[in-house]
Amino acid sequence: MSEEASEADRFLALVAAAQDRDIRLTSIQAGLLVAAELGIARDSRAFARKLGIAHSLVLRELNGLAEREGLLRIVKRDPRTMRVHYTLPPRDEA
């Protein structure tokens, strides 16, 4: 198994685990949280590009996630590109 396939399998396993912990998370929302935790992507456009998902879909899911208290913090919005930068809150707040 290639290293890239192994990393993808790890990512998908972590997404599934996040969804097991919180059944309200969609696959994309869980992916956004895992990507932020692993440092894979910390903005909506990078996440969309790396996973081959439409940016508009990622924005919708990101906004839904940001509405839930303590899961994710939006730190910057770029009105020109629609890119949203996000981070996880410190562990003691989550």
Coordinates of all heavy atoms in Angstrom, one line a residue:
M1 N 0.9 -1.2 0.0 CA 0.0 0.0 0.0 C 0.9 1.2 0.0 O 1.9 1.3 0.7 CB -0.9 0.0 1.2 CG -1.8 1.2 1.3 SD -2.9 1.2 2.8 CE -3.9 -0.2 2.5
S2 N 0.6 2.2 -0.8 CA 1.4 3.4 -0.9 C 1.1 4.3 0.3 O 0.1 4.2 1.0 CB 1.0 4.2 -2.2 OG -0.2 4.8 -2.1
E3 N 2.1 5.2 0.5 CA 2.0 6.1 1.7 C 0.8 7.0 1.5 O 0.1 7.3 2.5 CB 3.3 6.9 1.8 CG 3.3 7.8 3.0 CD 4.6 8.5 3.2 OE1 5.6 8.0 2.8 OE2 4.6 9.6 3.8
E4 N 0.5 7.4 0.3 CA -0.6 8.3 0.0 C -1.9 7.6 0.3 O -2.8 8.2 1.0 CB -0.6 8.8 -1.4 CG -1.6 9.9 -1.7 CD -1.5 10.4 -3.1 OE1 -0.4 10.9 -3.4 OE2 -2.5 10.4 -3.8
A5 N -2.1 6.3 -0.1 CA -3.3 5.6 0.2 C -3.4 5.4 1.7 O -4.5 5.4 2.3 CB -3.2 4.3 -0.5
S6 N -2.3 5.1 2.4 CA -2.3 4.9 3.8 C -2.8 6.2 4.6 O -3.6 6.1 5.5 CB -0.9 4.5 4.3 OG -0.9 4.5 5.7
E7 N -2.3 7.4 4.1 CA -2.8 8.6 4.7 C -4.3 8.9 4.4 O -5.0 9.4 5.3 CB -1.9 9.8 4.2 CG -0.5 9.8 4.7 CD -0.5 10.0 6.2 OE1 -1.2 10.9 6.7 OE2 0.3 9.3 6.9
A8 N -4.7 8.5 3.3 CA -6.1 8.7 2.9 C -7.0 7.8 3.8 O -8.0 8.2 4.3 CB -6.4 8.4 1.5
D9 N -6.5 6.6 4.0 CA -7.3 5.6 4.9 C -7.3 6.1 6.3 O -8.3 6.0 7.0 CB -6.6 4.2 4.8 CG -6.8 3.5 3.5 OD1 -7.8 3.9 2.8 OD2 -6.1 2.6 3.2
R10 N -6.2 6.7 6.8 CA -6.2 7.2 8.1 C -7.1 8.4 8.3 O -7.9 8.5 9.2 CB -4.7 7.7 8.5 CG -4.6 8.3 9.8 CD -3.1 8.6 10.2 NE -3.1 9.3 11.4 CZ -2.7 10.6 11.6 NH1 -2.4 11.3 10.6 NH2 -2.7 11.1 12.8
F11 N -7.1 9.3 7.3 CA -8.0 10.4 7.3 C -9.5 10.0 7.3 O -10.3 10.5 8.1 CB -7.8 11.3 6.0 CG -8.7 12.5 5.9 CD1 -8.5 13.6 6.7 CD2 -9.8 12.4 5.1 CE1 -9.4 14.7 6.6 CE2 -10.7 13.5 4.9 CZ -10.5 14.7 5.7
L12 N -9.8 9.0 6.5 CA -11.2 8.5 6.4 C -11.6 7.8 7.8 O -12.8 8.0 8.2 CB -11.4 7.6 5.3 CG -11.3 8.3 3.9 CD1 -11.4 7.2 2.8 CD2 -12.4 9.3 3.7
A13 N -10.7 7.1 8.4 CA -10.9 6.5 9.7 C -11.2 7.6 10.7 O -12.1 7.4 11.6 CB -9.8 5.6 10.1
L14 N -10.4 8.6 10.7 CA -10.6 9.7 11.7 C -11.9 10.4 11.5 O -12.6 10.8 12.4 CB -9.4 10.7 11.6 CG -8.1 10.1 12.2 CD1 -7.0 11.1 11.9 CD2 -8.2 9.8 13.7
V15 N -12.3 10.6 10.2 CA -13.6 11.2 9.9 C -14.7 10.3 10.4 O -15.7 10.8 11.1 CB -13.8 11.4 8.4 CG1 -15.2 11.8 8.0 CG2 -12.8 12.5 7.9
A16 N -14.6 9.0 10.2 CA -15.7 8.1 10.7 C -15.7 8.1 12.2 O -16.8 8.1 12.8 CB -15.4 6.7 10.2
A17 N -14.6 8.2 12.9 CA -14.5 8.3 14.3 C -15.2 9.6 14.9 O -15.9 9.5 15.9 CB -13.1 8.2 14.8
A18 N -14.9 10.7 14.2 CA -15.5 11.9 14.6 C -17.1 11.8 14.4 O -17.8 12.3 15.3 CB -15.0 13.1 13.7
Q19 N -17.5 11.2 13.4 CA -19.0 11.1 13.2 C -19.6 10.1 14.2 O -20.7 10.3 14.7 CB -19.3 10.6 11.8 CG -19.1 11.6 10.8 CD -19.6 11.2 9.4 OE1 -18.9 10.4 8.8 NE2 -20.7 11.6 9.0
D20 N -18.8 9.1 14.7 CA -19.3 8.2 15.7 C -19.4 9.0 17.0 O -20.3 8.7 17.8 CB -18.3 7.0 15.9 CG -18.4 6.0 14.8 OD1 -19.4 6.0 14.0 OD2 -17.4 5.2 14.7
R21 N -18.5 9.9 17.3 CA -18.6 10.7 18.5 C -19.7 11.7 18.5 O -20.3 12.1 19.5 CB -17.3 11.4 18.8 CG -16.2 10.5 19.2 CD -14.9 11.3 19.7 NE -14.4 12.2 18.7 CZ -13.5 11.9 17.7 NH1 -13.1 10.7 17.7 NH2 -13.1 12.8 16.9
D22 N -20.1 12.2 17.3 CA -21.1 13.2 17.2 C -21.9 12.9 15.9 O -21.5 13.2 14.8 CB -20.5 14.6 17.1 CG -21.6 15.7 17.1 OD1 -22.8 15.4 16.8 OD2 -21.2 16.9 17.3
I23 N -23.1 12.3 16.1 CA -23.9 11.8 14.9 C -24.5 13.0 14.1 O -24.9 12.7 13.0 CB -25.0 10.8 15.4 CG1 -25.9 11.5 16.3 CG2 -24.4 9.6 15.9 CD1 -27.2 10.6 16.6
R24 N -24.4 14.2 14.7 CA -25.0 15.3 13.9 C -24.0 15.8 12.8 O -24.4 16.6 12.0 CB -25.3 16.5 14.9 CG -26.4 16.1 15.9 CD -26.7 17.2 16.8 NE -25.5 17.4 17.7 CZ -25.3 18.4 18.5 NH1 -26.2 19.4 18.6 NH2 -24.2 18.5 19.2
L25 N -22.8 15.4 12.9 CA -21.8 15.8 11.9 C -22.0 15.1 10.5 O -22.2 13.9 10.5 CB -20.3 15.5 12.3 CG -19.8 16.3 13.5 CD1 -18.4 15.7 13.9 CD2 -19.7 17.7 13.2
T26 N -22.0 15.9 9.5 CA -22.0 15.3 8.1 C -20.5 14.9 7.9 O -19.6 15.2 8.6 CB -22.4 16.4 7.1 OG1 -21.4 17.4 7.0 CG2 -23.7 17.0 7.4
S27 N -20.4 14.1 6.8 CA -19.0 13.7 6.4 C -18.1 14.9 6.1 O -16.9 14.8 6.5 CB -19.1 12.8 5.2 OG -19.9 11.7 5.4
I28 N -18.6 15.9 5.5 CA -17.8 17.0 5.2 C -17.4 17.8 6.4 O -16.3 18.2 6.6 CB -18.5 17.9 4.1 CG1 -18.6 17.2 2.8 CG2 -17.7 19.3 4.0 CD1 -19.3 17.9 1.7
Q29 N -18.4 18.0 7.3 CA -18.1 18.7 8.6 C -17.1 17.9 9.4 O -16.1 18.5 9.9 CB -19.4 18.8 9.4 CG -20.3 19.8 8.8 CD -21.7 19.9 9.5 OE1 -22.1 19.0 10.2 NE2 -22.4 21.0 9.3
A30 N -17.2 16.6 9.5 CA -16.2 15.8 10.2 C -14.8 15.9 9.5 O -13.8 16.1 10.2 CB -16.6 14.4 10.3
G31 N -14.9 16.0 8.2 CA -13.6 16.1 7.4 C -12.9 17.5 7.7 O -11.7 17.5 7.8
L32 N -13.7 18.5 7.8 CA -13.2 19.8 8.1 C -12.5 19.8 9.5 O -11.4 20.4 9.6 CB -14.3 20.9 8.1 CG -14.8 21.3 6.7 CD1 -16.2 22.0 6.8 CD2 -13.8 22.2 6.0
L33 N -13.1 19.2 10.5 CA -12.5 19.2 11.8 C -11.2 18.4 11.8 O -10.2 18.8 12.4 CB -13.5 18.6 12.8 CG -14.8 19.4 13.0 CD1 -15.8 18.7 13.9 CD2 -14.4 20.8 13.7
V34 N -11.3 17.2 11.1 CA -10.1 16.4 11.1 C -9.0 17.1 10.3 O -7.8 17.0 10.7 CB -10.4 15.0 10.5 CG1 -9.1 14.2 10.2 CG2 -11.3 14.2 11.4
A35 N -9.3 17.7 9.2 CA -8.3 18.4 8.4 C -7.6 19.5 9.2 O -6.4 19.7 9.1 CB -8.9 19.0 7.1
A36 N -8.4 20.2 10.0 CA -7.9 21.3 10.9 C -7.0 20.7 11.9 O -5.9 21.2 12.2 CB -9.0 22.1 11.5
E37 N -7.4 19.6 12.5 CA -6.6 19.0 13.6 C -5.3 18.5 13.1 O -4.3 18.6 13.7 CB -7.4 17.8 14.2 CG -6.8 17.2 15.4 CD -7.6 16.2 16.1 OE1 -8.9 16.3 16.0 OE2 -7.1 15.3 16.7
L38 N -5.3 17.9 11.9 CA -4.1 17.3 11.3 C -3.2 18.3 10.6 O -2.1 18.0 10.1 CB -4.4 16.2 10.4 CG -5.1 15.0 11.0 CD1 -5.4 13.9 9.9 CD2 -4.2 14.3 12.1
G39 N -3.7 19.6 10.4 CA -3.0 20.6 9.6 C -3.1 20.4 8.1 O -2.2 20.9 7.4
I40 N -4.0 19.6 7.7 CA -4.1 19.3 6.2 C -4.7 20.5 5.5 O -4.3 20.9 4.4 CB -5.1 18.1 6.0 CG1 -4.4 16.8 6.6 CG2 -5.4 17.9 4.5 CD1 -5.3 15.6 6.6
A41 N -5.7 21.2 6.1 CA -6.3 22.4 5.5 C -6.9 23.2 6.6 O -7.5 22.6 7.5 CB -7.4 22.0 4.5
R42 N -6.7 24.5 6.5 CA -7.3 25.4 7.5 C -8.1 26.5 6.8 O -8.3 27.5 7.5 CB -6.2 26.0 8.4 CG -5.6 24.9 9.3 CD -4.8 25.5 10.5 NE -4.4 24.4 11.4 CZ -3.2 24.0 11.5 NH1 -2.3 24.5 10.7 NH2 -2.9 23.0 12.3
D43 N -8.4 26.3 5.6 CA -9.3 27.2 4.9 C -10.2 26.5 3.9 O -9.8 25.4 3.5 CB -8.5 28.4 4.2 CG -7.8 28.0 3.0 OD1 -8.4 27.8 1.9 OD2 -6.6 27.8 3.0
S44 N -11.3 27.0 3.6 CA -12.3 26.3 2.9 C -11.9 26.0 1.5 O -12.2 24.9 1.0 CB -13.6 27.2 2.8 OG -13.3 28.5 2.2
R45 N -11.1 26.9 0.8 CA -10.7 26.6 -0.6 C -9.7 25.5 -0.6 O -9.8 24.6 -1.5 CB -10.2 27.9 -1.2 CG -10.0 27.7 -2.7 CD -10.3 28.7 -3.6 NE -11.3 29.7 -3.5 CZ -12.5 29.8 -4.2 NH1 -12.8 28.8 -5.0 NH2 -13.3 30.8 -4.1
A46 N -8.7 25.5 0.3 CA -7.7 24.4 0.3 C -8.4 23.0 0.6 O -8.1 22.0 0.0 CB -6.7 24.7 1.4
F47 N -9.4 23.0 1.5 CA -10.1 21.8 1.8 C -10.8 21.3 0.6 O -10.7 20.1 0.2 CB -11.0 22.0 3.0 CG -11.8 20.8 3.4 CD1 -11.2 19.8 4.2 CD2 -13.1 20.5 2.9 CE1 -11.9 18.7 4.6 CE2 -13.8 19.4 3.3 CZ -13.2 18.5 4.1
A48 N -11.5 22.2 -0.1 CA -12.3 21.8 -1.3 C -11.4 21.3 -2.4 O -11.7 20.3 -3.0 CB -13.1 23.0 -1.8
R49 N -10.3 21.9 -2.6 CA -9.3 21.5 -3.6 C -8.7 20.2 -3.3 O -8.7 19.3 -4.2 CB -8.2 22.6 -3.8 CG -7.3 22.3 -4.9 CD -6.3 23.4 -5.2 NE -5.5 23.8 -3.9 CZ -5.7 24.9 -3.2 NH1 -6.5 25.8 -3.6 NH2 -4.9 25.1 -2.2
K50 N -8.3 20.0 -2.1 CA -7.6 18.7 -1.7 C -8.6 17.5 -1.8 O -8.1 16.4 -2.1 CB -7.0 18.8 -0.3 CG -5.8 19.7 -0.3 CD -5.1 19.7 1.0 CE -3.9 20.7 0.9 NZ -2.8 20.3 1.7
L51 N -9.9 17.8 -1.5 CA -10.8 16.7 -1.5 C -11.6 16.6 -2.8 O -12.5 15.7 -2.9 CB -11.7 16.7 -0.3 CG -11.1 16.0 0.9 CD1 -10.0 16.8 1.5 CD2 -12.1 15.6 1.9
G52 N -11.4 17.5 -3.7 CA -12.2 17.5 -4.9 C -13.7 17.8 -4.8 O -14.5 17.2 -5.4
I53 N -14.0 18.7 -3.8 CA -15.4 19.0 -3.5 C -15.6 20.5 -4.0 O -14.7 21.3 -3.8 CB -15.6 18.9 -2.0 CG1 -15.3 17.5 -1.5 CG2 -17.1 19.3 -1.7 CD1 -15.4 17.3 0.0
A54 N -16.8 20.8 -4.4 CA -17.2 22.1 -4.8 C -17.0 23.1 -3.6 O -17.4 22.7 -2.5 CB -18.6 22.2 -5.3
H55 N -16.4 24.2 -3.8 CA -16.1 25.2 -2.7 C -17.4 25.6 -2.1 O -17.5 25.8 -0.9 CB -15.3 26.3 -3.2 CG -14.9 27.3 -2.2 ND1 -15.1 28.6 -2.2 CD2 -14.2 27.1 -1.0 CE1 -14.6 29.2 -1.1 NE2 -14.1 28.3 -0.4
S56 N -18.5 25.8 -2.9 CA -19.7 26.3 -2.3 C -20.3 25.3 -1.4 O -20.9 25.6 -0.3 CB -20.7 26.5 -3.5 OG -20.9 25.4 -4.2
L57 N -20.1 24.0 -1.6 CA -20.6 22.9 -0.7 C -19.8 23.0 0.6 O -20.4 22.9 1.7 CB -20.5 21.6 -1.4 CG -21.0 20.4 -0.5 CD1 -22.4 20.5 -0.1 CD2 -20.8 19.1 -1.4
V58 N -18.5 23.2 0.5 CA -17.7 23.3 1.7 C -18.1 24.5 2.5 O -18.2 24.4 3.7 CB -16.2 23.3 1.3 CG1 -15.3 23.6 2.5 CG2 -15.8 22.0 0.6
L59 N -18.3 25.6 1.9 CA -18.8 26.8 2.6 C -20.0 26.6 3.4 O -20.2 27.0 4.5 CB -18.9 28.0 1.6 CG -17.6 28.6 1.1 CD1 -18.0 29.6 0.0 CD2 -16.8 29.2 2.2
R60 N -21.0 25.9 2.7 CA -22.3 25.6 3.4 C -22.1 24.8 4.6 O -22.6 25.1 5.7 CB -23.2 25.0 2.4 CG -24.6 24.8 3.0 CD -25.6 24.1 2.1 NE -25.2 22.7 2.0 CZ -25.6 21.9 1.0 NH1 -26.3 22.4 0.0 NH2 -25.3 20.7 1.0
E61 N -21.3 23.7 4.5 CA -21.0 22.8 5.6 C -20.2 23.5 6.7 O -20.4 23.3 7.9 CB -20.3 21.6 5.1 CG -21.1 20.7 4.2 CD -22.3 20.1 4.9 OE1 -22.2 19.8 6.1 OE2 -23.3 19.9 4.2
L62 N -19.3 24.4 6.3 CA -18.4 25.1 7.3 C -19.3 26.1 8.1 O -19.1 26.2 9.3 CB -17.3 25.8 6.5 CG -16.3 26.6 7.3 CD1 -15.6 25.7 8.3 CD2 -15.3 27.3 6.4
N63 N -20.2 26.8 7.4 CA -21.0 27.7 8.1 C -22.0 27.0 9.1 O -22.2 27.5 10.2 CB -21.8 28.6 7.1 CG -21.0 29.6 6.4 OD1 -20.1 30.2 7.0 ND2 -21.2 29.9 5.2
G64 N -22.5 25.9 8.7 CA -23.3 25.1 9.6 C -22.5 24.6 10.8 O -23.0 24.6 11.9
L65 N -21.3 24.2 10.6 CA -20.4 23.8 11.7 C -20.1 25.0 12.6 O -20.1 24.8 13.8 CB -19.1 23.2 11.1 CG -18.2 22.4 12.0 CD1 -19.0 21.3 12.6 CD2 -17.1 21.8 11.1
A66 N -19.8 26.1 12.0 CA -19.5 27.3 12.8 C -20.6 27.7 13.7 O -20.4 28.4 14.8 CB -19.0 28.4 11.9
E67 N -21.9 27.4 13.3 CA -23.0 27.8 14.1 C -23.1 27.0 15.4 O -23.7 27.5 16.4 CB -24.3 27.6 13.3 CG -24.4 28.6 12.2 CD -25.6 28.4 11.3 OE1 -26.4 27.4 11.6 OE2 -25.8 29.1 10.3
R68 N -22.5 25.9 15.4 CA -22.5 25.0 16.6 C -21.4 25.5 17.6 O -20.3 25.7 17.2 CB -22.3 23.6 16.3 CG -23.5 23.0 15.5 CD -23.4 21.6 15.2 NE -23.1 20.8 16.3 CZ -22.7 19.5 16.3 NH1 -22.5 19.0 15.1 NH2 -22.4 18.9 17.3
E69 N -21.8 25.7 18.8 CA -20.9 26.3 19.8 C -19.7 25.4 20.1 O -19.8 24.2 20.4 CB -21.7 26.6 21.1 CG -20.9 27.3 22.1 CD -20.7 28.8 21.8 OE1 -21.5 29.3 21.1 OE2 -19.6 29.3 22.2
G70 N -18.5 26.0 20.0 CA -17.3 25.4 20.4 C -16.6 24.4 19.5 O -15.6 23.8 19.9
L71 N -17.1 24.1 18.4 CA -16.5 23.1 17.5 C -15.5 23.7 16.6 O -14.5 23.0 16.3 CB -17.6 22.4 16.6 CG -18.5 21.5 17.3 CD1 -19.5 20.9 16.3 CD2 -17.8 20.4 18.1
L72 N -15.7 24.9 16.1 CA -14.8 25.5 15.1 C -14.9 27.0 15.2 O -15.9 27.6 15.6 CB -15.3 25.1 13.7 CG -14.5 25.5 12.6 CD1 -13.9 24.2 11.9 CD2 -15.4 26.2 11.6
R73 N -13.8 27.7 15.0 CA -13.7 29.1 15.1 C -13.3 29.7 13.7 O -12.3 29.3 13.1 CB -12.7 29.5 16.1 CG -12.6 31.0 16.4 CD -11.7 31.3 17.5 NE -12.2 30.8 18.8 CZ -11.5 30.5 19.8 NH1 -10.2 30.6 19.8 NH2 -12.1 30.0 20.9
I74 N -14.1 30.5 13.2 CA -13.8 31.2 11.9 C -12.9 32.4 12.3 O -13.3 33.2 13.1 CB -15.0 31.7 11.1 CG1 -15.8 30.4 10.7 CG2 -14.7 32.6 10.0 CD1 -17.0 30.6 9.8
V75 N -11.7 32.5 11.6 CA -10.8 33.5 12.0 C -10.7 34.6 10.9 O -10.2 35.7 11.2 CB -9.4 33.0 12.3 CG1 -9.4 32.1 13.6 CG2 -8.8 32.1 11.2
K76 N -11.1 34.3 9.7 CA -11.0 35.3 8.6 C -11.8 34.9 7.5 O -11.9 33.7 7.1 CB -9.5 35.4 8.2 CG -9.2 36.4 7.1 CD -7.7 36.3 6.7 CE -7.5 37.1 5.4 NZ -6.1 36.9 5.0
R77 N -12.5 35.9 6.9 CA -13.2 35.7 5.6 C -12.7 36.6 4.6 O -12.5 37.8 4.8 CB -14.7 36.0 5.9 CG -15.4 35.0 6.8 CD -16.9 35.4 6.9 NE -17.5 34.6 7.9 CZ -18.2 33.5 7.7 NH1 -18.3 33.1 6.4 NH2 -18.8 32.8 8.6
D78 N -12.5 36.1 3.4 CA -12.0 36.9 2.2 C -13.2 37.1 1.3 O -13.6 36.2 0.6 CB -10.9 36.2 1.5 CG -10.3 37.1 0.4 OD1 -11.0 37.9 -0.2 OD2 -9.1 36.8 0.0
P79 N -13.8 38.3 1.3 CA -15.0 38.6 0.5 C -14.8 38.4 -1.0 O -15.7 38.1 -1.8 CB -15.4 40.0 0.9 CG -14.3 40.6 1.5 CD -13.4 39.5 2.1
R80 N -13.5 38.7 -1.5 CA -13.3 38.6 -2.9 C -13.3 37.1 -3.4 O -13.9 36.8 -4.4 CB -11.9 39.3 -3.2 CG -11.6 39.3 -4.7 CD -10.2 40.0 -5.0 NE -9.1 39.3 -4.4 CZ -8.6 38.2 -4.9 NH1 -9.0 37.6 -6.0 NH2 -7.5 37.6 -4.3
T81 N -12.6 36.3 -2.6 CA -12.5 34.9 -3.1 C -13.5 33.9 -2.4 O -13.6 32.8 -2.7 CB -11.0 34.3 -2.7 OG1 -10.9 34.3 -1.3 CG2 -10.0 35.1 -3.4
M82 N -14.2 34.4 -1.4 CA -15.1 33.7 -0.5 C -14.4 32.7 0.4 O -15.0 31.8 1.0 CB -16.1 32.9 -1.4 CG -17.0 33.8 -2.3 SD -18.1 34.8 -1.4 CE -19.2 33.6 -0.8
R83 N -13.1 32.7 0.4 CA -12.3 31.8 1.2 C -12.5 32.1 2.7 O -12.5 33.2 3.1 CB -10.8 31.9 0.9 CG -9.9 30.9 1.6 CD -8.5 31.1 1.2 NE -8.4 30.6 -0.2 CZ -7.4 30.1 -0.8 NH1 -6.2 29.9 -0.1 NH2 -7.4 29.7 -2.0
V84 N -12.7 31.1 3.5 CA -12.9 31.2 4.9 C -11.8 30.4 5.6 O -11.6 29.2 5.4 CB -14.3 30.6 5.3 CG1 -14.5 30.7 6.9 CG2 -15.4 31.4 4.6
H85 N -11.1 31.1 6.5 CA -10.0 30.5 7.3 C -10.6 30.2 8.6 O -11.4 30.9 9.2 CB -8.9 31.5 7.5 CG -8.2 31.9 6.2 ND1 -7.1 31.2 5.7 CD2 -8.6 32.8 5.2 CE1 -6.8 31.8 4.5 NE2 -7.6 32.7 4.2
Y86 N -10.3 29.0 9.1 CA -10.9 28.5 10.3 C -9.8 27.8 11.2 O -8.7 27.4 10.7 CB -12.0 27.6 10.1 CG -11.7 26.3 9.3 CD1 -11.3 25.1 9.9 CD2 -11.7 26.4 7.9 CE1 -11.0 24.0 9.2 CE2 -11.4 25.2 7.1 CZ -11.0 24.1 7.8 OH -10.7 23.0 7.0
T87 N -10.1 27.6 12.4 CA -9.2 26.9 13.4 C -10.1 26.2 14.4 O -11.3 26.5 14.5 CB -8.2 27.9 14.0 OG1 -7.3 27.1 14.8 CG2 -9.0 28.9 14.9
L88 N -9.5 25.2 15.1 CA -10.2 24.6 16.1 C -10.0 25.4 17.4 O -8.9 26.1 17.6 CB -9.6 23.2 16.4 CG -9.7 22.2 15.2 CD1 -9.0 20.9 15.6 CD2 -11.2 22.0 14.9
P89 N -11.0 25.4 18.3 CA -10.8 26.2 19.5 C -9.8 25.4 20.4 O -9.5 24.3 20.2 CB -12.2 26.1 20.2 CG -12.8 24.9 19.6 CD -12.3 24.8 18.2
P90 N -9.2 26.1 21.4 CA -8.3 25.4 22.3 C -9.0 24.3 22.9 O -10.2 24.3 23.1 CB -7.9 26.5 23.3 CG -8.2 27.8 22.6 CD -9.3 27.6 21.6
R91 N -8.3 23.2 23.3 CA -8.9 22.0 23.8 C -9.8 22.2 25.0 O -10.8 21.6 25.2 CB -7.8 21.0 24.1 CG -7.1 20.4 22.9 CD -7.7 19.1 22.6 NE -6.9 18.6 21.5 CZ -7.5 17.8 20.6 NH1 -8.7 17.5 20.6 NH2 -6.8 17.3 19.6
D92 N -9.4 23.1 25.9 CA -10.2 23.3 27.1 C -11.5 24.0 26.9 O -12.4 24.0 27.7 CB -9.4 24.2 28.1 CG -9.0 25.5 27.6 OD1 -8.6 25.6 26.4 OD2 -9.0 26.5 28.4
E93 N -11.7 24.6 25.7 CA -13.0 25.2 25.3 C -13.9 24.2 24.6 O -15.1 24.5 24.5 CB -12.8 26.4 24.4 CG -12.2 27.6 25.1 CD -12.0 28.8 24.1 OE1 -12.8 28.9 23.2 OE2 -11.1 29.6 24.3
A94 N -13.4 23.2 24.0 CA -14.2 22.3 23.2 C -15.0 21.4 24.1 O -14.8 21.1 25.2 CB -13.3 21.4 22.3

